[in-house]
Amino acid sequence: LEKAILVNPEHASSHYYLGMTMDAMGKKIPATLALMRFLILEHEGAKAEKALPYVLKKIKGNAAKTDDGKINVTVDESSMDKSKENNFSTVDLILSLSAAYDFDDKNLDKSEIELFIQKFDVMVSTMMEEQDKGKGFFWTYYVPFFVELKKQAHLDTFCYLLYAYRESADEEVDKWMAANNNRLQTFVLWAGTYAWPKEEKK
C-alpha cells in the first residue's frame, strides 16, 4: 500500500486501506493521517462513511466530566507503542489530554467545530515539534503535508470541510462555507498541487 501511494498519491483507496490496516494494528494516529488524506480525495461513498466518523472521533478525543467535577481522559493503551518507526505515542497522548480542555471555562461557549479546530491544531503542532525525531513512512510522507497545511493557514478550512462532509446539517458550518469560497478554492488548489514524495525517505 505504501509503495502504491508513492507511485500514485491520488489513488484514494490505497490511503483508505492503509488507514484501516493501521487501525487494525492499533496505530490510531497513523490511521487518522491516512484517512484524512483519503477524505480529501474521496468524501462520498461507503469508504468515506467509515473514514469520516473515525477521523472526527479520534481528533475529538475521549474526555468526560464526572458528577463531582472531575475530568476523566481515556487514553488508548495500544497507541503507546514504543516502536522506532511510525511512533506517534507523544502526539496521541497530547491529543488525548487536550480533550480535557473542552471543559475549561474559557472554552464553554465554543462550538463543536471550534473545539475540533483547537484540538487538530494541537495535533499538528505536536507533530511539528516531533518531526525531526519521527521515523517511518507516516512521519516522512503524511506529516509534512499537514505541517505545511498549517503553515499555509489552511487548517481551519480543512476542518470545516471535514464537518461539511457529514450528512447532518450544521448551520455554523454552512454559513462558514458560503462566506469563504475563496479560501476553499485556495485550499483545493494547494492540496491538488502539493508535491508528494516519490520515494520513501530513510
Side-chain angles (χ1 to χ4, degrees):
L1 289 168
E2 290 172 1
K3 289 179 179 178
I5 287 168
L6 288 168
V7 171
N8 183 7
E10 306 298 314
H11 190 248
S13 291
S14 292
H15 297 283
Y16 174 80
Y17 288 115
L18 181 59
M20 290 293 102
T21 301
M22 289 299 103
D23 176 53
M25 294 171 65
K27 295 180 178 290
K28 307 298 185 182
I29 295 293
T32 301
L33 295 175
L35 292 176
M36 285 192 295
R37 172 58 181 154
F38 162 76
L39 288 166
I40 291 174
L41 298 168
E42 184 178 311
H43 56 269
E44 294 180 340
K47 294 187 186 76
E49 289 175 2
K50 291 183 179 180
L52 184 58
Y54 183 99
V55 167
L56 296 180
K57 181 179 179 181
K58 180 57 190 173
I59 295 176
K60 286 177 184 176
N62 193 0
K65 196 169 187 177
T66 62
D67 293 337
D68 59 0
K70 294 181 180 179
I71 298 172
N72 291 331
V73 178
T74 303
V75 179
D76 186 355
E77 187 177 351
S78 66
S79 71
M80 296 297 105
D81 176 25
K82 294 298 182 181
S83 58
K84 291 182 179 179
E85 288 202 352
N86 299 315
N87 178 1
F88 285 81
S89 57
T90 299
V91 178
D92 206 344
L93 178 61
I94 293 177
L95 178 62
S96 297
L97 293 174
S98 71
Y101 286 98
D102 288 358
F103 301 98
D104 191 277
D105 289 344
K106 66 181 181 182
N107 289 325
L108 293 180
D109 293 330
K110 290 185 178 179
S111 64
E112 180 182 347
I113 179 66
E114 288 174 323
L115 292 172
F116 183 87
I117 291 170
Q118 196 166 281
K119 285 191 280 288
F120 184 54
D121 196 355
V122 167
M123 175 181 167
V124 177
S125 296
T126 306
M127 291 193 298
M128 288 176 67
E129 294 174 3
E130 297 288 313
Q131 193 172 7
D132 291 341
K133 295 182 286 184
K135 297 179 180 179
F137 181 81
F138 290 82
W139 278 106
T140 60
Y141 189 86
Y142 290 109
V143 169
F145 173 81
F146 289 103
V147 168
E148 192 63 21
L149 177 143
K150 175 178 169 63
K151 289 180 178 178
Q152 296 296 324
H154 295 309
L155 190 143
D156 287 21
T157 303
F158 176 65
C159 291
Y160 273 101
L161 268 176
L162 288 178
Y163 267 73
Y165 293 156
R166 299 187 308 174
E167 289 186 3
S168 57
D170 187 315
E171 185 178 353
E172 180 184 357
V173 174
D174 291 343
K175 284 182 177 179
W176 190 96
M177 296 288 283
N180 289 275
N181 189 54
N182 288 340
R183 291 182 65 178
L184 291 166
Q185 290 182 5
T186 302
F187 168 71
V188 170
L189 178 62
W190 172 82
T193 56
Y194 179 82
W196 292 96
K198 298 295 184 183
E199 59 184 25
E200 185 175 358
K201 296 178 183 178
K202 301 297 183 181

